[in-house]
């Protein structure tokens, strides 16, 4: 196998590895009101991740608007939370702190279900926006093209 064939093979392998490594394991794109959102799940307490939860577009919108996000997500992430009566629920969409009892927050807890309260210290699975940038396929293609061009230029110079 020539050095050029080996180099091309290594570049192809690297591009494929980057393509698959850039995709988070529990991410989904949902569309609500013609806007696409990259949603992931996080299992932790509200107290630990409140900044991430409060930066979501559904924070402060109330149960009616939050249900649109839950319904758009559907059962994509399964039912990781245990609700009342032993029923399993989708990831929680927290949308506001309760004003009367500041130690609780309102969540939408599953498909078609409205607001209920959750203690901020409870460890549950929340839906949040993905904060990790995912390279577009075009970006990866440009990197690959640049590497191939560099190899070609080096070969001509030799």
């Amino acid at each position: 196998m020539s050095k050029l064939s080996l180099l091309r093979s290594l570049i192809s392998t690297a591009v494929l590895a980057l393509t698959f490594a850039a995709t988070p394991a529990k991410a989904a794109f949902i569309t609500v009101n013609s806007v696409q959102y990259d949603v992931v799940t996080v299992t932790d307490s509200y107290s630990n991740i409140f900044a991430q939860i409060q930066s979501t577009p559904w924070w402060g919108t109330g149960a009616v608007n939050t249900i649109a996000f839950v319904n758009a997500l559907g059962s994509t992430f399964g039912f990781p939370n245990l609700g009342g009566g032993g029923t399993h629920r989708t990831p929680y969409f927290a949308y506001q702190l309760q004003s009367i009892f500041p130690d609780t927050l309102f969540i939408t807890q599953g498909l078609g279900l409205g607001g209920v309260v959750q203690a901020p210290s409870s460890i549950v699975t929340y839906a949040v926006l993905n904060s990790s940038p995912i390279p577009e396929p075009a970006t990866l293609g440009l990197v690959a093209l640049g590497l191939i061009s560099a190899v070609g230029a080096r070969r001509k110079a030799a």
Side-chain angles (χ1 to χ4, degrees):
M1 183 181 251
S2 71
K3 287 183 182 181
L4 183 59
S5 297
L6 180 61
L7 187 57
R8 284 183 183 159
S9 178
L10 287 173
I11 290 171
S12 297
T13 303
V15 169
L16 283 174
L18 284 173
T19 300
F20 291 114
T23 306
K26 290 215 171 192
F29 290 97
I30 63 171
T31 302
V32 176
N33 298 327
S34 302
V35 178
Q36 189 175 48
Y37 299 95
D38 183 6
V39 178
V40 295
T41 59
V42 176
T43 302
D44 206 337
S45 69
Y46 170 82
S47 301
N48 289 337
I49 59 171
F50 68 91
Q52 191 175 13
I53 290 173
Q54 290 182 4
S55 69
T56 62
W58 50 85
W59 182 260
T61 63
V64 173
N65 290 325
T66 308
I67 289 172
F69 283 95
V70 175
N71 289 337
L73 187 61
S75 60
T76 301
F77 295 134
F79 303 91
N81 293 316
L82 191 60
T87 59
H88 290 276
R89 305 292 166 88
T90 63
Y92 293 160
F93 283 70
Y95 62 88
Q96 72 186 45
L97 288 172
Q98 188 181 37
S99 58
I100 298 171
F101 301 104
D103 292 336
T104 59
L105 66 149
F106 283 110
I107 59 168
T108 297
Q109 61 176 344
L111 295 172
L113 299 171
V116 296
V117 294
Q118 178 71 42
S121 59
S122 297
I123 304 291
V124 295
T125 300
Y126 291 99
V128 296
L129 291 183
N130 188 1
S131 58
S132 302
I134 300 173
E136 300 175 29
T139 303
L140 293 175
L142 286 174
V143 169
L145 182 62
L147 289 171
I148 291 169
S149 297
V151 169
R154 184 173 179 179
R155 184 173 175 228
K156 285 181 183 178

